[in-house]
Amino acid sequence: MVYVHQAPAMAARPAHGITVRRLTPKDAAAVVGLGPGAAWIHKTWGGPEQLASSGLCWGAFHRGRALSLACTYFLGSAYENVAALADPGHRRQHLALACVTALCQDIAARGRTASWTCSRDNRPSRLLAWSAGFRLTREYVHYATGPARRLAFPGAKAA
């Protein structure tokens, strides 16, 4: 499913003591602190240091600890595809929404359009996209060729 940012985001007010801000190179350790399950979000950047230094990632922090991130996952000439995650212990607190909202404002300021892609089966991702102001523009079928193997996606349930 492909979404494009089109509508104002739902207001997200993080709890007292939580700061939403752009990551800096000093935040690489906080990105690592999200654990191995978060590696998918910084893998396309070459690692946590590169993501934190990119200038294209926003995070929700409490006492120096990253609780949620939203970043440009793929950067194009007109679009920036957004990815987000929240620490499992801090989900349903609108932290990812606050990070995505800040990132989308940043993307618009750069003159680009924020996009979002996810599987039809990823309901939490679809709800986050909708709450952040993304609207569905099209659906497509993704085919893969080659030897059969088990694919692991963030948030996928084990079979």
Side-chain angles (χ1 to χ4, degrees):
M1 302 181 85
V2 179
Y3 295 81
V4 173
H5 194 257
Q6 298 175 355
M10 185 176 106
R13 295 186 179 98
H16 180 71
I18 295 177
T19 304
V20 176
R21 62 174 174 77
R22 183 190 316 269
L23 270 67
T24 69
K26 295 178 182 179
D27 294 317
V31 174
V32 171
L34 286 165
W40 68 269
I41 202 162
H42 56 73
K43 187 175 182 178
T44 60
W45 284 99
E49 296 83 10
Q50 291 83 353
L51 176 62
S53 300
S54 71
L56 302 174
C57 186
W58 287 73
F61 292 85
H62 183 256
R63 297 183 180 168
R65 181 173 175 234
L67 306 177
S68 183
L69 298 177
C71 70
T72 296
Y73 198 58
F74 294 111
L75 176 64
S77 58
Y79 291 89
E80 294 187 30
N81 192 257
V82 174
L85 67 80
D87 178 74
H90 293 88
R91 291 187 178 148
R92 298 183 187 264
Q93 297 177 20
H94 301 289
L95 300 178
L97 177 60
C99 295
V100 169
T101 300
L103 176 62
C104 287
Q105 291 169 348
D106 200 30
I107 291 170
R110 287 193 289 277
R112 292 195 175 105
T113 302
S115 64
W116 188 283
T117 56
C118 67
S119 165
R120 179 184 299 154
D121 297 331
N122 191 340
R123 187 170 189 268
S125 183
R126 290 185 297 120
L127 290 173
L128 176 56
W130 183 266
S131 297
F134 289 84
R135 298 299 177 256
L136 182 65
T137 57
R138 73 176 185 270
E139 293 185 53
Y140 64 93
V141 177
H142 187 97
Y143 296 98
T145 62
R149 62 183 174 146
R150 181 172 166 77
L151 298 176
F153 295 99
K157 295 178 181 170

